[in-house]
Amino acid sequence: MPANRCELSSPSQGAPQHDDPVPSLTSLSLRPYEPTDRTPLLALIDADRLPGQPRATAAMLVRAMQGSAAQEDPWWGEYGPPSVQVAVDAGGALVGAVSCARRAEDDAGLIQWLHCREDAAVAEGLIAHALTALPPRPVEAFQFATALTQGLEALPVRHRPVTRAALERAGFAGERLWRYMRAELPRPELPRAVGLDIVDDTERRAARRLRVRREGRTVAEAVVGPPVQGIGVLWWIEVCAEARGRGLGRAVLGSALAALGDLGADQVVLYVDDDEPPGGERDRTAANALYQSAGFTEVDHLWSYSLHRGAATPGRTRSVAPAPAAPRPGA
């Protein structure tokens, strides 16, 4: 076997044991990504594509392999360049791929993305390789959105149950982050906000901020991201306390979706951080009701994962980063 290849091995003996049997690994080998892998790798990535997500392109793959995504640049600045390894079967077919990176400050590891057509043996082998290749420090998985998606930040657990199970077998603990929703455009039945202006957003690259101003101050706003392959994203919507209860949130939502339509979007996605029970500080019951009444449907719930090993660096665990598309109750 060539020196730059290695056999995929089973998870380490120190990983937690589960009652379910661990699938036996087929004869696979691992090697660094090569330019000739581009077409089969894009097909592998698209096999996991969710409704409301763009098809992976060569340009998107280049950006993802550089560790950059427009909405996540500040986070990626903490990590070195990713290392992408591909798994091939005995016949030379590409059957899996994993991207890993190290955080410069403390050598903590990151599994940036992993695709395997939900083959359990390949998923477990790729995760085992990542844990071997990364330093013996804490490892996070599916923590950031990448350039391969339209803001999709974590693992869609209903669509990727095999990958989820493989992570758990390897000892990773999951945390629910987002409710992922989408809707078709246009939505002509929604009202529009009066007195609204649109400006460039200073926090997200190429994003647009819609503002409703009264007496010189902003009382409601929304932030939308430019469409990718006809898919827009609603990043944020908020109504100040004194302006709630008058339907302004619904009108701003209607204006935001209309703005995306004007930019060429024929569908829109959003992410709601609704992991807190009703009655909590971040209760998103009202937000979910608003979106559902406006035609949004749930696609999946998104989870991130972490594995604690070695010495953790205090205060370095990443919390929720993207601003949620969640209006305050009473909007």
Side-chain angles (χ1 to χ4, degrees):
M1 183 174 292
N4 65 336
R5 295 174 183 258
C6 63
E7 285 192 9
L8 293 180
S9 60
S10 300
S12 67
Q13 294 180 352
Q17 299 300 309
H18 294 256
D19 293 335
D20 297 333
V22 176
S24 59
L25 299 179
T26 54
S27 177
L28 302 174
S29 60
L30 200 74
R31 60 169 172 77
Y33 169 84
E34 301 170 353
T36 54
D37 297 323
R38 184 182 68 183
T39 297
L41 179 53
L42 289 174
L44 187 76
I45 293 168
D46 273 339
D48 290 328
R49 184 166 59 94
L50 296 182
Q53 291 298 311
R55 287 193 174 278
T57 66
M60 292 162 67
L61 180 60
V62 168
R63 289 181 59 213
M65 294 179 69
Q66 293 172 341
S68 64
Q71 62 272 21
E72 294 286 0
D73 283 344
W75 294 109
W76 281 117
E78 299 179 1
Y79 289 85
S83 170
V84 178
Q85 302 284 315
V86 299
V88 297
D89 64 15
L94 192 152
V95 295
V98 63
S99 175
C100 300
R102 302 181 185 185
R103 191 160 57 201
E105 181 175 298
D106 57 8
D107 242 7
L110 174 70
I111 297 177
Q112 177 190 12
W113 47 264
L114 182 154
H115 294 281
C116 60
R117 296 185 187 272
E118 291 302 271
D119 182 299
V122 178
E124 296 215 7
L126 289 171
I127 292 169
H129 166 78
L131 296 182
T132 300
L134 290 168
R137 306 281 286 177
V139 179
E140 295 180 332
F142 297 95
Q143 288 282 341
F144 306 129
T146 76
L148 294 170
T149 70
Q150 180 66 303
L152 192 73
E153 177 176 87
L155 183 73
V157 292
R158 288 204 302 267
H159 285 77
R160 303 282 302 275
V162 170
T163 300
R164 177 184 189 175
L167 287 164
E168 292 173 351
R169 288 184 192 281
F172 283 82
E175 177 186 8
R176 174 174 158 174
L177 293 184
W178 307 102
R179 186 188 192 200
Y180 170 49
M181 306 181 76
R182 69 173 291 274
E184 299 286 340
L185 295 179
R187 311 303 301 188
E189 73 279 9
L190 295 176
R192 305 290 189 268
V194 177
L196 180 142
D197 65 358
I198 302 178
V199 298
D200 291 335
D201 184 64
T202 58
E203 298 179 6
R204 293 180 181 275
R205 185 185 305 167
R208 303 285 281 166
R209 184 177 295 266
L210 293 75
R211 306 180 302 182
V212 177
R213 298 178 64 80
R214 300 283 189 269
E215 299 178 352
R217 58 186 297 266
T218 300
V219 297
E221 64 180 7
V223 177
V224 298
V228 176
Q229 299 176 20
I231 304 164
V233 57
L234 174 63
W235 288 121
W236 177 258
I237 182 171
E238 184 175 10
V239 179
C240 67
E242 63 268 25
R244 296 173 193 164
R246 307 171 191 173
L248 185 55
R250 188 174 185 83
V252 172
L253 175 61
S255 295
L257 300 188
L260 284 171
D262 292 342
L263 291 172
D266 54 26
Q267 57 182 307
V268 57
V269 299
L270 58 79
Y271 306 91
V272 185
D273 59 336
D274 69 342
D275 54 310
E276 188 161 328
E281 182 180 353
R282 292 187 297 103
D283 180 0
R284 303 305 191 201
T285 301
N288 282 320
L290 172 63
Y291 297 134
Q292 289 168 192
S293 70
F296 283 85
T297 58
E298 180 180 293
V299 178
D300 210 327
H301 282 100
L302 309 180
W303 287 56
S304 64
Y305 290 83
S306 58
L307 175 66
H308 299 287
R309 61 178 188 173
T313 301
R316 295 305 300 167
T317 299
R318 176 182 176 269
S319 60
V320 174
R328 299 297 186 262

